[in-house]
Amino acid sequence: MQKFERYVGLLLVGLAALGAVLVGLAAATVFRTPRVDEATPTTVGVWHLLYNTTAPSPVVILGAIGLGLVLAAVVALVERRVSTRARRSEDAVRMPLAPKLVMAETRGVYAGPVTITVLIPAHNEAGCIAATIASLRSQSHPPERIIVVADNCTDETVPIARAAGVEVVETVGNTKKKAGGLNQVLALVLPEQGDNDTVMIMDADTTLDQGFLAAAVQRMTNDRALMAVGGLFYGEEGGGLIGLFQRNEYTRYARDVSRRRGRVFVLTGTASIFRPRALRTVAAERGRSLPGVPGDVYDTLVLTEDNELTLALKSLGALMISPSECTVVTEVMQNWRALWAQRLRWQRGAVENLGDYGLRPSVMRYWAQQLGIGYGVIAIVGYLLLILVMLLSLDQWVWFPFWVGVGGLFVVERVVTVWRGGWPARLLALTLFPELAYSLVLNAVFVKGVLDIAVRRQASWKHVVQSPTPSTTGGHA
């Protein structure tokens, strides 16, 4: 790992801390600290309480809102400018997948109808592989070919897949986990593919919602410059409270992507479709303009291969989309230990990928997101610490209507953003503090990942064995 890559996490946390300090200094300068002895006593029914109406000045409030809007606008404008430049680029060396170049090259050429070959990487997935295959075959537009990539399976995955009537390719000498297994099979499949013979990579613990493939085929048919279609994922049923936390999180993620009008944030490993031209170009650019081993589609040195492949395609100017019609149901972690391992891999992998790609324009949006996570860690911990200090300092609780109102707006935001998840999701969001505790766990994962990178602690890729559940046999409601 290069020096910059080692300290990329600390750089993010340092910048976030600097931002928090500047905000704190500004607030301390213009905001008078409320005096407890100015609190007013009142009685609500049998409840005697103290309240203080002190609030930040309108200048502070408007300044805070304005700063937030300006930062959001800057990130959005940078992202749009990068996207527009990629669409219009004629630089075949730096952006060989730019839409303008692809359209010019394929003009007047009919590559046949769009077909789909599905690759399902599987390592001991006997509990769910049958449901995954069934969800593919039940699509209104079923795939032309399904290949299960069996990687060092020691359970019944291979015979179950063969009994289901699909092709099975067992990896040979693979020590690079999922990415290594996919690279082996892609090396066999891609040379046979025409421009419209797309390849779908789909996790074995995922089921497609009805209409996914039909919508993806229609998109690929309508736009020959489109290089990839990503799915929006929702959590499966079950898992108790920890499962509900994750479903709420996924629901908010899908809502955010939908509000971006389908612009891709990450081509999820749960289910994404690629044009062969995109995958071949990535393999050709490995070791040149992209990190990784020359000839590999997936970089086997990273923890989050789907996130890294997204950065690779963006860097090459590829046009991608995540339509709202393309949804999938994926597993949720059943206990805190599994969740910790999964999120540590995701979080650390995302930061390491940024270190590999550096400060190139195509990944600036991802730098902003990680910076936001770092700032969020400091903000929420600071908020809870201040509440604790207040509890320990005062003999009686004082209510501040302004801050209660701010908290109320936050609760409304929490509830609205999971509305699609149904009443259990809404009620959990309404209670607020359980989800705050869940956020603290995710924040701890972020900090752990940053520290692990800084001290060069070896990362591990942990596989979660999926048990068969009723929810894996149907689509998302």
Side-chain angles (χ1 to χ4, degrees), residues 32 73 120 131 178 192 328 396 421:
R32 183 177 70 84
I120 308 174
K178 175 181 173 182
E192 306 170 351
V328 304
Q396 189 171 0

Side-chain angles (χ1 to χ4, degrees), residues 110-118 141-146 189 192-200 213 216-218 220-221 273-276:
Y110 178 60
V114 172
T115 68
I116 301 177
T117 294
V118 181
H141 184 116
E144 280 70 16
R145 189 179 180 190
I146 300 174
V189 170
E192 306 170 351
Q193 303 273 297
D195 275 351
N196 280 347
D197 298 323
T198 63
V199 176
M200 179 176 188
L213 296 187
V217 166
Q218 192 62 53
M220 287 288 193
T221 302
I273 298 178
F274 304 89
R275 218 177 274 274

Side-chain angles (χ1 to χ4, degrees), residues 31-334:
F31 179 48
R32 183 177 70 84
T33 303
R35 289 171 58 93
V36 174
D37 57 6
E38 294 175 348
T40 303
T42 188
T43 301
V44 179
V46 297
W47 190 19
H48 179 74
L49 55 85
L50 296 173
Y51 70 91
N52 188 318
T53 58
T54 302
S57 69
V59 173
V60 173
I61 296 173
L62 293 176
I65 295 173
L67 180 61
L69 292 176
V70 167
L71 291 176
V74 168
V75 173
L77 287 173
V78 169
E79 184 179 26
R80 182 169 292 276
R81 180 173 175 77
V82 169
S83 175
T84 301
R85 286 184 60 188
R87 283 175 179 271
R88 298 173 179 172
S89 175
E90 297 181 7
D91 187 344
V93 175
R94 298 175 60 187
M95 291 194 175
L97 295 177
K100 192 171 183 177
L101 292 172
V102 175
M103 293 294 283
E105 187 178 330
T106 59
R107 184 171 295 117
V109 178
Y110 178 60
V114 172
T115 68
I116 301 177
T117 294
V118 181
L119 303 187
I120 308 174
H123 172 68
N124 291 342
E125 308 287 358
C128 56
I129 192 67
T132 304
I133 295 171
S135 82
L136 286 166
R137 287 192 162 145
S138 67
Q139 289 283 300
S140 58
H141 184 116
E144 280 70 16
R145 189 179 180 190
I146 300 174
I147 303 174
V148 172
V149 182
D151 181 39
N152 299 311
C153 291
T154 56
D155 64 356
E156 297 300 307
T157 299
V158 172
I160 290 174
R162 285 187 172 138
V166 302
E167 298 176 54
V168 177
V169 177
E170 298 188 60
T171 59
V172 179
N174 176 45
T175 59
K176 305 297 183 182
K177 305 295 183 182
K178 175 181 173 182
L182 285 171
N183 282 339
Q184 286 191 9
V185 179
L186 285 170
L188 302 173
V189 170
L190 286 179
E192 306 170 351
Q193 303 273 297
D195 275 351
N196 280 347
D197 298 323
T198 63
V199 176
M200 179 176 188
I201 310 296
M202 176 181 178
D203 279 351
D205 53 25
T206 298
T207 55
L208 299 184
D209 286 345
Q210 190 54 249
F212 185 115
L213 296 187
V217 166
Q218 192 62 53
R219 296 275 182 166
M220 287 288 193
T221 302
N222 293 344
D223 190 348
R224 63 180 188 276
L226 186 61
M227 290 292 109
V229 174
L232 300 178
F233 53 90
Y234 295 86
E236 64 181 3
E237 295 299 323
L241 183 60
I242 190 174
L244 188 53
F245 281 137
Q246 293 168 82
R247 284 192 289 279
N248 277 9
E249 183 184 5
Y250 294 165
T251 299
R252 291 190 177 104
Y253 173 78
R255 183 177 183 273
D256 289 344
V257 174
S258 296
R259 288 163 66 86
R260 287 164 52 86
R261 298 180 181 178
R263 292 197 301 277
V264 167
F265 189 72
V266 173
L267 290 167
T268 172
T270 54
S272 291
I273 298 178
F274 304 89
R275 218 177 274 274
R277 173 191 295 264
L279 299 181
R280 292 193 197 106
T281 306
V282 168
E285 291 296 321
R286 294 282 183 207
R288 297 167 58 186
S289 63
L290 300 176
V293 177
D296 282 354
V297 173
Y298 284 96
D299 186 352
T300 57
L301 301 178
V302 302
L303 292 171
T304 48
E305 68 286 335
D306 52 351
N307 181 69
E308 194 280 336
L309 185 59
T310 307
L311 300 186
L313 290 170
K314 278 184 176 287
S315 298
L316 299 175
L319 178 63
M320 302 176 284
I321 191 170
S322 290
S324 58
E325 308 96 313
C326 296
T327 54
V328 304
V329 181
T330 190
E331 67 173 342
V332 295
M333 297 298 102
Q334 301 292 317

Side-chain angles (χ1 to χ4, degrees), residues 374-457:
Y375 183 82
V377 171
I378 295 170
I380 193 169
V381 171
Y383 166 74
L384 294 176
L385 282 177
L386 288 175
I387 289 181
L388 179 63
V389 169
M390 182 174 170
L391 282 172
L392 297 175
S393 304
L394 301 180
D395 296 329
Q396 189 171 0
W397 183 266
V398 179
W399 293 91
F400 294 90
F402 174 83
W403 295 110
V404 171
V406 172
L409 287 176
F410 186 61
V411 171
V412 170
E413 186 272 341
R414 295 280 86 187
V415 174
V416 168
T417 51
V418 297
W419 196 260
R420 184 177 176 179
W423 282 109
R426 299 166 198 165
L427 291 174
L428 179 63
L430 186 64
T431 53
L432 184 60
F433 285 99
E435 284 204 322
L436 274 180
Y438 179 69
S439 296
L440 282 175
V441 173
L442 300 186
N443 289 343
V445 171
F446 175 81
V447 174
K448 176 72 163 51
V450 167
L451 294 176
D452 284 351
I453 295 172
V455 300
R456 299 183 178 182
R457 184 168 293 145

